[in-house]
Amino acid sequence: MSEPPVQIDADTVTAAPKPTGHRWIDLLLAGSAILISGVSLFIAAQNANMQQRMVAATSWPFLQFRTANNGDQGKPMIAMKVVNVGQGPALLKHVTVTYDGKPVRGAYDLMQACCGWAPKTDAELKMFKVGTAPLGGVVIQPHEEYLFYEFENTGPAADAVWRKMDQARFKLKFDACYCSVLGECWRSDLRSLEPTPVKVCPKDRGYGE
């Protein structure tokens, strides 16, 4: 009794189907084997693509701008923050902030542009309780809020500027660029629901650098 023929490739040695002696049957069997192999490869590729999409979905960040004017215990406190409502960490690499069509480099620059506030002494500066933080070059975890500006209305000395800022915060425009941990990046105005995919972000951090 003769041994079945074998097929040898780079990785394995397998028994090959014994020829039937009928050419058309042998061709049909060979074609079926090729078809099955092709379907298997297609299914494997689809599974790999699906797994890749699932990983991307679980690491997808999505940033939005949020603002409010009431702090703890009802204090008149303007707050501006960036919130990550996505599923993965956001590497916020660059943010440009503009007011009235002109870029502002930081909180005090913004307050001067919108509200005419330019303290000349330390005493004038202390009358205003303003907290600031840079925007570019930070990591925001999923469902985390990153507070980059707050301004408490401490009384008559700050009231006029505070009220102007309370209106100006809705006129701010953002051009943000952030990435996922997988290296996928997007540009967004922090309001739209459809950020634009990009290959890389600008190198400078922008606002608050």
Side-chain angles (χ1 to χ4, degrees):
M1 182 175 178
S2 61
E3 296 294 328
V6 296
Q7 292 178 335
I8 303 175
D9 57 32
D11 299 315
T12 60
V13 177
T14 58
K18 185 177 180 179
T20 64
H22 298 282
R23 180 178 176 81
W24 68 271
I25 295 179
D26 292 338
L27 290 174
L28 181 61
L29 291 174
S32 299
I34 293 173
L35 178 61
I36 293 172
S37 297
V39 171
S40 299
L41 288 173
F42 176 78
I43 294 175
Q46 290 297 310
N47 287 337
N49 185 48
M50 185 177 296
Q51 290 179 356
Q52 185 176 8
R53 289 188 177 188
M54 290 178 63
V55 171
T58 57
S59 61
W60 175 70
F62 186 75
L63 299 184
Q64 290 185 318
F65 170 68
R66 300 279 176 83
T67 183
N69 62 2
N70 284 322
D72 296 336
Q73 300 177 352
K75 292 182 180 179
M77 175 82 76
I78 293 173
M80 291 187 278
K81 57 189 74 173
V82 177
V83 182
N84 183 1
V85 297
Q87 298 300 315
L91 286 65
L92 181 53
K93 295 190 173 184
H94 168 88
V95 182
T96 297
V97 181
T98 58
Y99 174 78
D100 197 22
K102 299 179 181 179
V104 291
R105 301 297 299 180
Y108 298 133
D109 191 17
L110 168 61
M111 293 178 71
Q112 184 174 2
C114 77
C115 316
W117 181 74
K120 298 178 181 179
T121 65
D122 289 342
E124 288 181 287
L125 183 61
K126 290 179 181 179
M127 287 191 301
F128 293 77
K129 288 188 177 180
V130 178
T132 68
L135 272 176
V138 298
V139 177
I140 306 177
Q141 297 295 334
H143 312 295
E144 180 181 82
E145 298 181 344
Y146 180 78
L147 180 68
F148 67 92
Y149 179 88
E150 61 180 357
F151 177 15
E152 181 180 349
N153 190 341
T154 55
D159 186 69
V161 177
W162 191 94
R163 291 182 181 279
K164 289 181 181 179
M165 177 58 76
D166 193 33
Q167 298 296 320
R169 61 196 172 102
F170 296 107
K171 300 177 182 179
L172 297 178
K173 295 186 181 300
F174 301 89
D175 177 16
C177 190
Y178 59 92
C179 302
S180 72
V181 293
L182 297 180
E184 297 176 303
C185 300
W186 299 267
R187 292 193 83 148
S188 170
D189 61 4
L190 301 183
R191 290 187 172 91
S192 171
L193 295 178
E194 297 181 357
T196 303
V198 295
K199 291 184 178 181
V200 294
C201 293
K203 293 183 179 181
D204 64 292
R205 296 181 179 181
Y207 180 92
E209 186 173 21

